[in-house]
């Protein structure tokens, strides 16, 4: 830190500690230290905002990936529903065939065994397809919730950015006003 000394041709003020210029110099130094603290705080907030912006960009990328995964899940769900519909039609056809063949007693037991097996297979496939549909629907609900949370975070970050910019503008205006006074 540099110590300022009076030039040799300047005498000390007769007022001593009560000198207005001495008081003014001390006040200016205090103001400068406050401004430095404010500047340090604004810089810290700016770096935090930069970190938040990077996090938001990362979250937006993750959101885009989730949208792709969601689209895939929706396609799989549509395929599962189509498969369920086909299986149901197949089950109806098997029941109709069984009713027609029931008239013949010799073939009744063979057809009955076949229909029972087909029913078990169809029920198992339908159960599997139903489980996959339920899993897909739960995944969609989770995705939707995460998307809403990300959107809320994005809005909060935008609001924070606007507030920080407003504070920066106020600090600059105060600095400019102090420069004009000085």
């Amino acid at each position: 830190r540099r110590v300022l000394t009076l030039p040799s041709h300047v005498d000390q003020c007769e007022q001593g500690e009560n000198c207005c210029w001495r008081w003014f110099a001390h006040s200016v130094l205090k103001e400068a230290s406050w401004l430095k603290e404010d500047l340090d705080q604004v810089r810290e907030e700016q770096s935090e905002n930069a970190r938040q912006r990077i996090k938001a960009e990362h979250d937006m990328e993750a959101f885009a990936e989730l949208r792709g995964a969601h689209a895939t899940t929706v396609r799989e769900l549509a395929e599962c529903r189509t498969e369920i519909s086909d299986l149901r039609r197949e089950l109806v056809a098997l029941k109709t065939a069984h009713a027609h063949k029931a008239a013949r007693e010799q073939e009744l037991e063979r057809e009955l065994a076949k229909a029972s097996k087909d029913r078990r297979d169809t029920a198992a496939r339908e159960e599997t397809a139903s489980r996959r549909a339920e899993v897909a629907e739960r995944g969609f609900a989770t995705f939707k919730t995460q998307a809403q949370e990300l959107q809320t975070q994005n809005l909060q970050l935008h609001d924070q950015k606007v507030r920080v910019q407003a504070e920066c503008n106020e600090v600059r205006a105060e600095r400019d006003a102090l420069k004009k006074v000085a």
Side-chain angles (χ1 to χ4, degrees), residues 56 59-60 63 66 143-159:
D59 290 347
M60 286 179 0
F63 178 68
L66 284 174
F143 169 76
K144 190 173 182 180
T145 302
Q146 290 172 346
Q148 289 173 345
E149 290 172 358
L150 287 174
Q151 187 175 16
T152 302
Q153 288 176 357
N154 190 17
L155 289 174
Q156 289 171 350
L157 287 174
H158 179 70
D159 290 344

Side-chain angles (χ1 to χ4, degrees), residues 6-139:
L6 290 175
S8 60
H9 65 281
V10 176
D11 288 335
Q12 283 196 0
C13 178
E14 293 174 4
Q15 299 294 323
E17 293 291 325
N18 295 327
C19 178
C20 67
W21 293 107
R22 181 180 178 89
W23 174 84
F24 181 70
H26 283 288
S27 296
V28 167
L29 289 174
K30 284 181 185 176
E31 283 290 325
S33 70
W34 291 338
L35 288 173
K36 184 184 179 308
E37 290 172 5
D38 288 347
L39 181 60
D40 291 343
Q41 183 180 0
V42 167
R43 284 182 179 152
E44 184 178 319
E45 289 173 358
Q46 184 181 14
S47 68
E48 177 62 25
N49 287 339
R51 285 190 295 273
Q52 290 293 332
R53 190 178 309 116
I54 290 169
K55 183 182 181 301
E57 289 171 0
H58 174 72
D59 290 347
M60 286 179 0
E61 290 173 5
F63 178 68
E65 289 176 13
L66 284 174
R67 287 181 75 180
H70 170 67
T72 302
T73 304
V74 167
R75 282 193 300 276
E76 289 175 0
L77 178 63
E79 291 171 2
C80 289
R81 287 181 176 160
T82 302
E83 185 178 340
I84 288 171
S85 177
D86 292 344
L87 292 173
R88 286 181 179 153
R89 282 192 295 271
E90 182 181 332
L91 180 61
V92 169
L94 289 174
K95 286 181 179 180
T96 303
H98 175 69
H100 289 297
K101 293 180 183 181
R104 296 177 280 171
E105 192 172 332
Q106 271 187 338
E107 295 179 9
L108 181 62
E109 289 183 14
R110 283 194 314 240
E111 289 298 319
L112 182 60
K114 181 182 175 191
S116 295
K117 182 184 179 298
D118 287 341
R119 269 191 229 117
R120 283 192 305 271
D121 291 343
T122 302
R125 285 188 299 229
E126 189 174 63
E127 178 77 22
T128 302
S130 294
R131 279 193 222 126
R132 288 193 326 204
E134 289 173 5
V135 167
E137 287 172 357
R138 283 192 303 267

